[in-house]
């Protein structure tokens, strides 16, 4: 006999190439439906941009994926059919989902190298272990990440001395040393110089060769530079999806967002 207090969902077919699948997700806050029957999927090794007006549900969507917010309805399927709505934030992070917020949160009084060391798997509670000798494999991983985010020259410099853009790259590096399968990146180029923005575009494009990357962004020039699939959210649902060219010519998107 079924439990009337438990929502029973029918079996779903998750697309073969997908790493993340949101299935009929909804959540309300004080009567306001922030996410409204949202369904979308992200493929393995895909770079996807999420755009939309303020209040469209972009941040709430990422909160749901990372377990910060629990949906009222729907499922969030990750990897090998794990429903993220049924596990904790820590368990979700350990599955290989990393999130970078808009404002960088690096340890400014520690060196670039020590920031990466602190972020390593198995060393998350390591303020007391900053002088712990890493294995050769860990050290190699940090050096590879330093090269990826172009911070080799700053390895012994305190993070607080870095430019805004470099701090953003360092925080991305702090996620990379944890070997994530999926990266959620919130407005990565806000406040960056043109040169930093161009480097960030190249960086995220390269990361998608080994990781799935979801970017929430308002800078349409930056989104265009990524030359990737774009999803437009509006009132908590998918309004349109496709190339940037098709999105820009979509009358509904122009009306609710690009025409602002």
């Amino acid at each position: 006999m079924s439990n009337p207090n438990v929502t029973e969902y029918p079996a779903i077919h998750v697309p073969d190439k997908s790493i993340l699948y949101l299935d009929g997700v909804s959540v309300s806050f004080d009567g306001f439906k922030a996410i409204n029957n949202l369904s979308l999927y992200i493929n393995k090794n895909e770079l996807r941009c999420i755009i939309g007006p303020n209040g469209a549900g972009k941040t709430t969507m990422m909160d749901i994926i990372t377990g910060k917010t629990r949906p009222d309805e729907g499922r969030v399927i990750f990897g090998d059919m794990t429903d993220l709505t049924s596990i904790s934030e820590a368990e979700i992070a350990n599955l290989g989902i990393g999130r970078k917020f808009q404002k960088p949160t690096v340890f400014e009084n520690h060196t670039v190298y020590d920031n990466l060391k602190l972020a390593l798997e198995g060393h998350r509670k390591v303020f007391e272990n900053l002088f712990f000798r890493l294995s050769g494999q860990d050290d190699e991983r940090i050096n590879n990440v330093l090269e990826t985010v172009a911070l080799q020259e700053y390895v012994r410099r305190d993070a607080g001395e870095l430019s805004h853009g470099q701090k953003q790259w360092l925080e991305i590096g702090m996620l990379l040393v944890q070997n994530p399968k999926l990266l959620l990146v919130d407005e990565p180029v806000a406040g960056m110089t043109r040169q930093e923005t161009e480097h960030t575009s190249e960086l995220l494009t390269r990361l998608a060769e080994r990781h799935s990357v979801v970017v929430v962004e308002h800078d349409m020039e930056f989104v265009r530079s990524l030359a990737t699939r774009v999803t437009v959210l509006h009132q908590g649902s998918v309004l349109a999806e496709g190339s940037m060219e098709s999105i820009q010519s979509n009358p509904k998107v122009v009306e609710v967002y690009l025409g602002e």
Side-chain angles (χ1 to χ4, degrees):
M1 183 175 180
S2 61
N3 186 339
N5 297 317
V6 176
T7 302
E8 295 184 354
Y9 293 102
I12 60 172
H13 173 68
V14 179
D16 291 338
K17 295 182 179 180
S18 72
I19 191 170
L20 180 74
Y21 180 44
L22 279 73
D23 174 38
V25 175
S26 296
V27 66
S28 298
F29 303 112
D30 298 324
F32 170 71
K33 208 151 196 177
I35 297 292
N36 184 16
N37 194 30
L38 175 62
S39 294
L40 63 84
Y41 64 88
I42 306 297
N43 285 326
K44 297 172 183 175
N45 301 115
E46 178 185 8
L47 173 59
R48 176 76 65 88
C49 286
I50 308 291
I51 66 173
N54 291 331
K58 303 183 297 295
T59 298
T60 303
M61 180 194 73
M62 291 202 293
D63 286 345
I64 290 172
I65 294 170
T66 55
K68 183 178 179 181
T69 296
R70 297 297 182 187
D72 301 323
E73 300 174 3
R75 289 170 290 183
V76 181
I77 307 300
F78 179 72
D80 56 353
M81 295 301 291
T82 301
D83 187 353
L84 301 182
T85 67
S86 64
I87 60 178
S88 69
E89 289 184 67
E91 289 171 321
I92 290 172
N94 288 334
L95 282 176
I97 298 179
R99 180 176 182 180
K100 190 211 162 305
F101 292 87
Q102 180 180 349
K103 183 178 179 180
T105 53
V106 300
F107 301 107
E108 298 203 350
N109 294 324
H110 294 291
T111 66
V112 168
Y113 185 91
D114 282 343
N115 268 267
L116 296 174
K117 181 178 178 180
L118 284 163
L120 265 173
E121 288 178 329
H123 298 286
R124 292 194 178 94
K125 298 179 180 178
V126 293
F127 280 106
E128 68 277 14
N129 292 331
L130 276 172
F131 300 103
F132 176 78
R133 182 177 294 275
L134 295 176
S135 68
Q137 185 177 5
D138 285 340
D139 190 63
E140 182 180 3
R141 190 192 310 182
I142 288 177
N143 287 324
N144 288 339
V145 168
L146 283 167
E147 183 177 357
T148 298
V149 298
L151 291 176
Q152 309 99 304
E153 297 178 19
Y154 305 91
V155 60
R156 299 303 174 192
R157 188 172 297 184
D158 283 351
E161 300 176 21
L162 300 179
S163 70
H164 173 72
Q166 289 170 332
K167 289 178 183 176
Q168 299 279 34
W169 304 333
L170 175 56
E171 189 170 23
I172 290 173
M174 292 169 71
L175 293 176
L176 291 178
V177 296
Q178 299 173 33
N179 288 330
K181 297 175 183 176
L182 172 66
L183 285 166
L184 307 175
V185 186
D186 191 4
E187 296 194 43
V189 299
M192 283 191 181
T193 65
R194 181 175 180 178
Q195 185 176 12
E196 289 173 335
T197 298
E198 290 175 354
H199 174 75
T200 302
S201 176
E202 295 170 0
L203 172 61
L204 293 175
T205 300
R206 281 188 284 111
L207 290 182
E209 296 173 3
R210 296 187 177 185
H211 313 268
S212 300
V213 184
V214 175
V215 179
V216 169
E217 187 53 71
H218 285 291
D219 186 328
M220 292 301 100
E221 288 300 319
F222 176 68
V223 173
R224 189 177 296 107
S225 74
L226 293 175
T228 190
R229 191 170 183 83
V230 178
T231 298
V232 185
L233 296 189
H234 178 55
Q235 296 180 345
S237 300
V238 174
L239 177 66
E241 202 166 76
S243 67
M244 190 60 186
E245 290 73 19
S246 68
I247 291 299
Q248 286 180 301
S249 61
N250 186 306
K252 292 182 180 179
V253 177
V254 172
E255 179 183 355
V256 305
Y257 185 45
L258 298 182
E260 291 182 343

